[in-house]
Amino acid sequence: QMYLAESGGGSVQSGGSLRLSCVRSGGVYRNYGMGWFRQTPGKEREGVASIDSDGSIRYADSVKGRFTISRDNADEKIVYLQMNSLEPEDTAMYLCAGSSVVDRNRPLSQYQYNYWGKGTQVTVSS
């Protein structure tokens, strides 16, 4: 079993920045495919960014150039999402997800992941 815990959410003004963290505990492999997703009421969960076990990265078009996903250099169990130039449209609950096997063609699909954190709220005001 693997557990994921997100932190770093909060309220910022448009143009501001936040860095989200996801800490993994448990699991039997050294590394997993990890993804960041976001969800707002009434909308489908949206894949924001993913990083595969070999370091391959993918972003949703809506966040390219503004968000950066990365692993901690010292601890592969920690994944970050650096969010810059935040917009009110980025307001959502952000969830971290993990999987031992991720389809390289669909890394931003929520159905690729079987482990989920509880989420951290990000609110961007105009």
Side-chain angles (χ1 to χ4, degrees):
Q1 185 69 7
M2 184 168 74
Y3 300 93
L4 302 172
E6 305 93 335
S7 63
S11 297
V12 296
Q13 290 193 329
S14 182
S17 298
L18 285 172
R19 188 176 80 159
L20 306 184
S21 299
C22 173
V23 179
R24 172 173 63 86
S25 59
V28 298
Y29 299 109
R30 180 175 180 273
N31 225 339
Y32 288 80
M34 303 294 293
W36 282 100
F37 291 77
R38 63 187 181 186
Q39 189 160 27
T40 54
K43 291 188 177 181
E44 188 172 339
R45 191 169 291 180
E46 176 191 15
V48 174
S50 66
I51 183 166
D52 204 346
S53 56
D54 66 358
S56 298
I57 289 174
R58 190 78 64 86
Y59 296 102
D61 289 342
S62 58
V63 306
K64 278 181 182 176
R66 300 189 299 122
F67 290 12
T68 303
I69 188 171
S70 63
R71 293 186 189 272
D72 189 281
N73 290 330
D75 187 348
E76 71 275 5
K77 294 183 179 179
I78 302 174
V79 175
Y80 302 108
L81 184 67
Q82 177 67 43
M83 306 187 296
N84 299 327
S85 302
L86 283 162
E87 304 165 351
E89 293 73 24
D90 296 316
T91 295
M93 178 69 75
Y94 283 72
L95 303 102
C96 177
S99 176
S100 59
V101 180
V102 177
D103 185 337
R104 292 175 179 267
N105 294 317
R106 295 182 292 171
L108 296 180
S109 168
Q110 60 174 316
Y111 302 107
Q112 295 298 313
Y113 300 88
N114 49 351
Y115 296 104
W116 292 86
K118 294 183 178 180
T120 185
Q121 178 68 36
V122 171
T123 303
V124 185
S125 58
S126 57

